[in-house]
Amino acid sequence: MAREELTRLTGNVNDPECNQNDCPNLYRTAKGSIIVQGDSSDAFTPPAGEALVEIPEAVLKEAFRALGW
């Protein structure tokens, strides 16, 4: 799946710290599921095929606002 096929829910504000799409973000797929982009976390070892990412609380709040939740 290409990034262009996703609806970006966060990171739409000009942020000098974020360039080239390298900051934590949330995206919505055409199916309505959520894709999370964030820093890798090693808090524990997840099951095969899964990964842990860490994102700031502000990113979740921005996504909730974008979704109208």
Side-chain angles (χ1 to χ4, degrees), residues 3 8 17-25 27 37-39:
R3 185 184 309 232
R8 188 172 180 169
E17 299 294 317
C18 297
N19 53 22
Q20 300 178 13
N21 296 314
D22 62 350
C23 284
N25 282 297
Y27 301 86
Q37 174 186 342
D39 295 330

Side-chain angles (χ1 to χ4, degrees), residues 6-61:
L6 303 171
T7 301
R8 188 172 180 169
L9 300 175
T10 59
N12 294 320
V13 178
N14 290 333
D15 185 342
E17 299 294 317
C18 297
N19 53 22
Q20 300 178 13
N21 296 314
D22 62 350
C23 284
N25 282 297
L26 289 152
Y27 301 86
R28 191 170 202 182
T29 68
K31 298 184 299 185
S33 61
I34 303 294
I35 303 289
V36 178
Q37 174 186 342
D39 295 330
S40 295
S41 173
D42 59 1
F44 63 90
T45 303
E50 296 183 5
L52 301 178
V53 298
E54 186 173 342
I55 61 169
E57 180 180 328
V59 173
L60 286 176
K61 288 179 178 179

